[in-house]
């Protein structure tokens, strides 16, 4: 690897005051003997537990730290995006400070250097969840593979390495609804998957099922019209059934002199039609929400504070601003 190659490590933080020192020391220990130029970009997603105070002494003790405090909690995906946009490296690494192993970073960077694309970490020892939740996850991944054209493999995480060329392509995507695991897979570059063992550090919390449901709904609404087309087909079918029923009523009216009032039938018809209408409105509301988010011109995030170590990089590196990744 070129001696002037710059490595950027993007670390999102959210209520991680008790973990940040271990994370920064671990990353610095792995990188300082292997790379001449690197930076650790800490993105604080509006933490209120003293994360900011915990970082202050690290800025004086450890070189090459950049700290960004967002003005409020925008969410993990936006925090990662803020760090990626700020990163100047030829290779940009993103990771979860609570689960991802630091010692694999150089190996994944070497793999990315050879492919020139993106290397995705794939956790092999995820905590087992109850059967129904695993089945729903498998069904969702199959749906993404078929209708989004994205092979969202089981265990793929936010532990990844991207070449500068891939990062530049990612930054051109300005969607408000962001899900980087899908966005990076849809860029079209070479994708490699690197298996690893998850390490649960202090503060780890497994994702809640309702958060996963919200993420899945937002992801589908932002990336595919297939659910809308399903509802359209259901609506057309309901309209045809309603038309057929109206024809049936007219035939009965013409052929029979007296017809008993069909209270039950009319009630079923009304409830069925209202069910379809409510279902259609529910799906349409999701798409209207996505459209509203996309037409807004407001930034994805706001930065409240930026701090750097006393020494960030030893030299000014032109390779950090070129369009192509550094080669052999």
């Amino acid at each position: 690897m070129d001696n002037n190659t710059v490595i950027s490590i993007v670390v999102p933080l959210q209520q991680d005051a008790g973990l940040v020192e271990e994370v920064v020391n671990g990353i610095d220990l792995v990188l300082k003997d292997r790379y001449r130029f690197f930076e650790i970009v800490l993105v604080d997603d509006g933490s209120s537990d003293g994360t900011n105070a915990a970082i202050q002494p690290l800025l004086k003790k450890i070189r090459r730290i950049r700290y960004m405090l967002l003005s409020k909690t925008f969410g993990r995906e936006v925090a990662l995006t803020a760090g990626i946009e700020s990163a100047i490296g030829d290779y940009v690494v993103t990771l979860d400070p609570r689960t991802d192993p630091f010692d694999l970073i150089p190996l994944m960077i070497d793999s990315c250097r050879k492919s020139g694309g993106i290397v995705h970490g794939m956790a092999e020892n995820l905590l087992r969840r109850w059967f129904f939740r695993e089945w729903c996850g498998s069904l969702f991944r199959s749906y993404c593979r078929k209708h989004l054209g994205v092979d969202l493999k089981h265990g793929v995480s936010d532990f990844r390495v991207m070449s500068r060329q891939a990062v530049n392509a990612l930054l051109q995507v300005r969607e408000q609804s962001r899900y980087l695991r899908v966005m990076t897979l849809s860029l079209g570059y070479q994708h490699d998957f690197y298996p690893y063992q998850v390490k649960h550090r202090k503060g780890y919390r497994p994702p809640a099922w309702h958060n996963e449901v919200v993420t899945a709904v937002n992801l589908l609404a932002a990336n595919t019209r297939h659910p809308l087309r399903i509802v359209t087909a259901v609506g057309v079918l309901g309209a045809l059934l309603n038309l057929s029923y109206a024809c049936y009523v007219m035939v009965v009216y013409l052929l029979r002199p007296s017809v008993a009032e069909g209270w039950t039938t009319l009630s079923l018809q009304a409830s069925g039609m209202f069910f379809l209408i409510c279902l259609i409105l529910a799906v349409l509301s999701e798409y209207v929400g996505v459209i509203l988010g996309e037409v807004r011109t407001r930034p994805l995030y706001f930065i409240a504070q930026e701090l750097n170590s006393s020494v960030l990089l030893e030299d000014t590196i032109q390779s950090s601003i070129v369009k192509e990744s550094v080669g052999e």
Side-chain angles (χ1 to χ4, degrees):
M1 182 176 291
D2 193 313
N3 289 332
N4 289 330
T5 299
V6 181
I7 308 298
S8 294
I9 313 295
V10 177
V11 184
L13 302 172
Q14 225 290 316
Q15 309 294 77
D16 289 317
L19 182 66
V20 64
E21 183 175 2
E22 175 188 350
V23 170
V24 172
N25 285 329
I27 295 174
D28 183 66
L29 182 64
V30 170
L31 298 185
K32 66 182 181 180
D33 293 331
R34 291 178 173 86
Y35 305 103
R36 181 184 177 194
F37 302 111
F38 68 89
E39 61 173 355
I40 303 173
V41 183
L42 304 176
V43 185
D44 188 348
D45 191 22
S47 299
S48 58
D49 67 336
T51 299
N52 184 298
I55 289 174
Q56 302 300 321
L58 297 177
L59 294 172
K60 301 176 182 178
K61 182 175 64 173
I62 299 177
R63 306 165 71 181
R64 307 182 183 95
I65 296 178
R66 296 172 57 203
Y67 172 65
M68 300 169 56
L69 172 62
L70 303 187
S71 60
K72 67 172 187 176
T73 300
F74 289 92
R76 180 183 183 82
E77 300 296 325
V78 174
L80 283 170
T81 299
I84 294 171
E85 288 185 346
S86 176
I88 65 172
D90 298 294
Y91 297 95
V92 178
V93 182
T94 62
L95 55 82
D96 186 337
R98 299 176 182 175
T99 60
D100 296 335
F102 312 134
D103 56 320
L104 295 183
I105 293 176
L107 298 177
M108 293 178 65
I109 292 175
D110 288 342
S111 179
C112 184
R113 177 179 56 83
K114 294 175 182 177
S115 67
I118 304 175
V119 177
H120 304 266
M122 189 163 61
E124 293 185 318
N125 60 331
L126 295 176
L127 296 177
R128 293 188 62 84
R129 302 178 294 184
W130 55 301
F131 171 77
F132 181 72
R133 193 170 172 181
E134 288 286 355
W135 179 78
C136 289
S138 177
L139 189 65
F140 177 75
R141 289 189 295 274
S142 298
Y143 185 92
C144 290
R145 186 162 48 250
K146 182 176 181 180
H147 297 289
L148 270 68
V150 173
D151 188 9
L152 192 60
K153 298 181 182 296
H154 182 58
V156 168
S157 66
D158 287 320
F159 191 22
R160 70 178 66 87
V161 180
M162 297 176 286
S163 66
R164 172 48 56 179
Q165 189 176 18
V167 169
N168 289 341
L170 178 63
L171 295 181
Q172 294 180 44
V173 182
R174 301 304 302 171
E175 296 176 357
Q176 296 285 330
S177 300
R178 307 183 74 79
Y179 191 63
L180 292 178
R181 297 183 194 181
V182 170
M183 292 176 66
T184 52
L185 286 168
S186 63
L187 292 178
Y189 292 90
Q190 174 69 33
H191 296 280
D192 296 307
F193 297 89
Y194 201 99
Y196 72 96
Q197 300 293 311
V198 169
K199 296 182 179 180
H200 294 143
R201 300 187 182 90
K202 181 179 179 181
Y204 171 75
R205 295 185 297 271
W209 66 269
H210 54 85
N211 290 335
E212 292 184 339
V213 172
V214 171
T215 299
V217 171
N218 291 338
L219 172 62
L220 295 180
N223 291 278
T224 178
R225 290 183 294 174
H226 185 256
L228 187 62
R229 290 177 176 174
I230 292 177
V231 173
T232 300
V234 172
V236 171
L237 178 61
L240 292 176
L241 291 175
N242 196 38
L243 179 62
S244 300
Y245 181 76
C247 294
Y248 167 76
V249 171
M250 292 299 299
V251 170
V252 171
Y253 175 79
L254 294 173
L255 296 181
R256 298 186 63 177
S258 60
V259 180
E261 293 184 3
W263 180 84
T264 302
T265 303
L266 291 176
S267 297
L268 290 175
Q269 178 201 21
S271 62
M273 291 302 103
F274 275 113
F275 170 78
L276 291 175
I277 291 173
C278 291
L279 179 63
I280 292 171
L281 288 177
V283 175
L284 285 178
S285 66
E286 290 297 325
Y287 280 88
V288 170
V290 171
I291 293 172
L292 176 62
E294 293 301 326
V295 298
R296 290 174 177 170
T297 57
R298 67 179 62 178
L300 287 173
Y301 56 88
F302 299 96
I303 299 175
Q305 184 181 28
E306 285 189 87
L307 298 172
N308 297 328
S309 296
S310 55
V311 178
L312 183 61
L313 290 175
E314 296 174 2
D315 296 308
T316 300
I317 306 302
Q318 292 296 327
S319 61
S320 63
I321 59 174
V322 297
K323 290 291 185 180
E324 300 293 332
S325 299
V326 175
E328 288 285 335

